[in-house]
Structures are given as structure tokens and as C-alpha cells.
Amino acid sequence: MFYRNCIRGLLSSKIVLLTTHDTRYYQEADHIIHLAGGKIEEFKTGHLLAEFDLLQRNRMSDGKKAGGQDVWCVSNEEEGTETLKLEKEEREIGRVAFKVYKEYFLYGVSAIVLFIVFLVFYSGQGIIVLVDFKASRLPILASQEESSFDRALLVYTLCVIAGVVLMVLGTLCIFLVLMNAAYKVHNKMVTCLLKAPLSFHAVNPVGLVLNRFSQDINNLDELLPFYFFMLLLYAAPAVATVLLATITTPLLIIPILIALPAFCFFSKVYFTSATDIKRLMSIAGSPIYSHFSNTMEGLKNIRVYGRQKEFIDQVF
């Protein structure tokens, strides 16, 4: 009605730009511009309209990709319409690959800047560990000349101050890198969502999108920076402690070599199970968001027909 009375009626003498996915209007158009990914993919006019219409129907009958999920278009010969098949949310299996962490950090800064940040942070830790190792000589210097002891004490104090300053500076830089990476990842997600075709929103429930922008982004903003900083903070001192202990007491190498394989085995088992549990928790939130969104949209109809209890039971 709107197309016939308004576009073909009142606006028949005007230039009309119609944006649509409906192929019924192709034959009445003078020019057709096919957009894909924000760019002009094809431009058809005149006698090529029928060919373009056939090409579009062939595309709709094939499998498409939307948001990393398979979208299948099934033609209905009786009604001439097509329906999309929803795919379940999938999850990865196994540990997170090193490539994922690499790409995440490179989102924040370049590789050279990232290397400088780590160098500053570990330089501060190295200075503090070195001071702890050399501090055992202070009693020896105290029994000797007083000037040597005062000079050594001044050097140790300056080294401690320098180490603390470098660690604080490195910590701030690390958090800035992680925050910048999370910011860019969020912006890319929003950009991809806004540029996604309508088929993406047809096959991906609202809860899945909300879950990605809530729980996953929260992990990037809060959990990942904190745990990564804890890893950097305790990894180097732990390695340094083991090295210093083996240098002072070489016999400690034997129990360390015995305990190391067991530690690697249990850590592998823990991280594998913990990663899978975390992924299951992330996926489990999507149906709840979808159910809540659908309930709020149809709240009037639910109350009219008195079906509140059924929707509550679906959650609890």
C-alpha cells in the first residue's frame, strides 16, 4: 500500500532512493546498487535487472556467514519466502592459544612499545632482587671501614628507590596498554555489529549480543588486567627466588627437578578445566538475556493471557 500509493503515486515524478532487501521491487527500479560491507559490490541497470534478481535469489538459497555462525536460507516454493535457521552458540575447546594473547596485546600498542614496557617493569624487579641478594654483604662491610659501609648503604638505598620507581612506572604502563587494548576491542565489536547485515540479527539472539557486550567486555576491562598483572608481579620473583636458592644451596636442584613435572601436570589439568568452566559460564548467560529481552517485549501479551508463571518457571 505504501509503495503503490506513495512511492509510485505521489512521488512518481521525483527521484526516489529506496533501501530494501525485498526483491519484488527490483523489476520496477531504474538502477540497483548492491552494497556489501559498506561498499558498492554491484551496479545494475536496464536489461540487467532480471539477471541481478536471479543472482540475488541464488545467493539467498546458498549458505551464508553472519557473525562467525552458519546461516542457512531455506526456500519455500508455496509462499515464495525464505526462512533462516538459528544455530546454537558454539565455544572453543582446549586452552587459549598464545596467538590470541599476542593479538590482544598488539591491539593496545606496537610490539616495540610493549617490549619497552616489559623491560622497564622487569628492570625494577631485577634491581630489587639484586639488592636483596647483595644485602647479605652489609654485615661484612659494617665490620670493616665505616666509609665503605656508608657508601654501600647509600648505593643500596638508591637502588631500592630506582627499582620501586621503575616497577610503579611499568605497572602504570601495563594497565594503560591493557585498557587501550580493551577499548579498541570494544570499538571493533561495535563497528562490526553496526555494519552487520540483517541476517546477522535474524540468527543471533539479543541475549547473545548482550552477553558479549556485558560479561566478555567486563572480563577484558577488570579481570584480565588484574590477573595478568599478578602473573607479572609474582612470576619474576618466584624464578629469582629459585635461582638464588640453587646458587646458595646447589643441592636444592634435586627436589626442584622432582617437583617441577608434578607442578606442570597439575597446572595443566587445572587450567584446562578452569578454561572450559569459564567458557560454559559465559555461554550460560546468553539464554537468560534472551529470555528477559523477549519477556519485556511481550510483557503486555503475557499479562493479558495470564502466562506470567510459565515465563517465570522457564528461568527458575
Side-chain angles (χ1 to χ4, degrees):
M1 182 68 68
F2 173 79
Y3 178 80
R4 183 174 64 254
N5 295 338
C6 183
I7 296 180
R8 302 299 296 175
L10 297 176
L11 301 177
S12 58
S13 60
K14 306 293 183 181
I15 298 177
V16 179
L17 177 63
L18 178 63
T19 304
T20 180
H21 289 78
D22 197 337
T23 58
R24 294 178 298 175
Y25 305 124
Y26 288 171
Q27 298 298 329
E28 301 184 24
D30 297 324
H31 303 280
I32 294 180
I33 299 176
H34 179 223
L35 299 178
K39 299 180 180 179
I40 297 178
E41 187 175 270
E42 292 178 280
F43 180 81
K44 299 294 182 180
T45 181
H47 64 283
L48 297 177
L49 293 179
E51 176 187 347
F52 182 81
D53 181 62
L54 179 61
L55 178 62
Q56 289 296 103
R57 292 183 181 275
N58 291 336
R59 284 177 178 172
M60 294 296 291
S61 62
D62 297 332
K64 294 183 180 179
K65 294 285 184 178
Q69 294 185 344
D70 293 336
V71 182
W72 301 96
C73 298
V74 182
S75 61
N76 189 333
E77 297 180 356
E78 297 179 358
E79 300 179 1
T81 59
E82 297 170 349
T83 57
L84 297 175
K85 179 182 178 182
L86 296 178
E87 292 288 336
K88 293 183 178 180
E89 186 176 1
E90 298 180 354
R91 64 182 179 91
E92 296 290 337
I93 298 176
R95 301 181 63 179
V96 181
F98 176 76
K99 181 181 178 181
V100 177
Y101 293 107
K102 178 183 176 182
E103 293 180 355
Y104 171 73
F105 287 114
L106 292 181
Y107 257 94
V109 292
S110 61
I112 298 177
V113 177
L114 189 63
F115 174 76
I116 295 175
V117 171
F118 286 157
L119 182 63
V120 171
F121 182 79
Y122 281 118
S123 297
Q125 285 196 338
I127 292 175
I128 293 178
V129 171
L130 182 62
V131 169
D132 293 338
F133 179 71
K134 294 293 185 179
S136 59
R137 298 186 57 188
L138 286 178
I140 300 176
L141 295 176
S143 61
Q144 298 176 359
E145 298 181 1
E146 184 177 355
S147 59
S148 300
F149 175 77
D150 294 338
R151 185 169 58 254
L153 186 61
L154 178 61
V155 172
Y156 290 159
T157 304
L158 294 177
C159 289
V160 170
I161 295 175
V164 172
V165 171
L166 290 176
M167 284 190 61
V168 172
L169 182 61
T171 301
L172 293 176
C173 293
I174 288 173
F175 275 99
L176 288 176
V177 170
L178 296 176
M179 290 175 59
N180 191 35
Y183 174 76
K184 290 185 177 180
V185 170
H186 176 267
N187 287 348
K188 186 174 182 180
M189 290 175 61
V190 174
T191 302
C192 294
L193 183 65
L194 295 178
K195 291 185 177 181
L198 293 180
S199 57
F200 173 84
H201 300 280
V203 299
N204 290 278
V206 178
L208 189 148
V209 179
L210 290 176
N211 194 24
R212 296 287 82 80
F213 278 91
S214 58
Q215 187 170 355
D216 290 358
I217 293 298
N218 177 69
N219 293 336
L220 291 178
D221 291 339
E222 297 184 5
L223 298 182
L224 185 59
F226 174 75
Y227 287 119
F228 182 75
F229 173 71
M230 290 293 104
L231 173 64
L232 296 180
L233 185 62
Y234 294 115
V239 174
T241 302
V242 173
L243 291 177
L244 292 177
T246 54
I247 291 174
T248 56
T249 309
L251 292 178
L252 288 176
I253 298 178
I254 298 176
I256 290 175
L257 294 178
I258 296 175
L260 187 60
F263 174 78
C264 294
F265 172 76
F266 287 113
S267 63
K268 181 179 180 180
V269 173
Y270 167 76
F271 283 118
T272 302
S273 59
T275 303
D276 290 339
I277 292 174
K278 191 65 178 178
R279 287 168 176 162
L280 288 174
M281 291 176 60
S282 299
I283 294 177
S286 298
I288 298 177
Y289 286 116
S290 298
H291 179 75
F292 181 78
S293 177
N294 295 333
T295 303
M296 295 304 296
E297 290 180 1
L299 188 60
K300 294 181 180 179
N301 296 330
I302 294 173
R303 289 177 175 175
V304 167
Y305 291 98
R307 310 293 290 273
Q308 295 93 326
K309 188 176 184 303
E310 295 183 11
F311 283 83
I312 294 175
D313 293 339
Q314 291 181 10
V315 179
F316 301 101

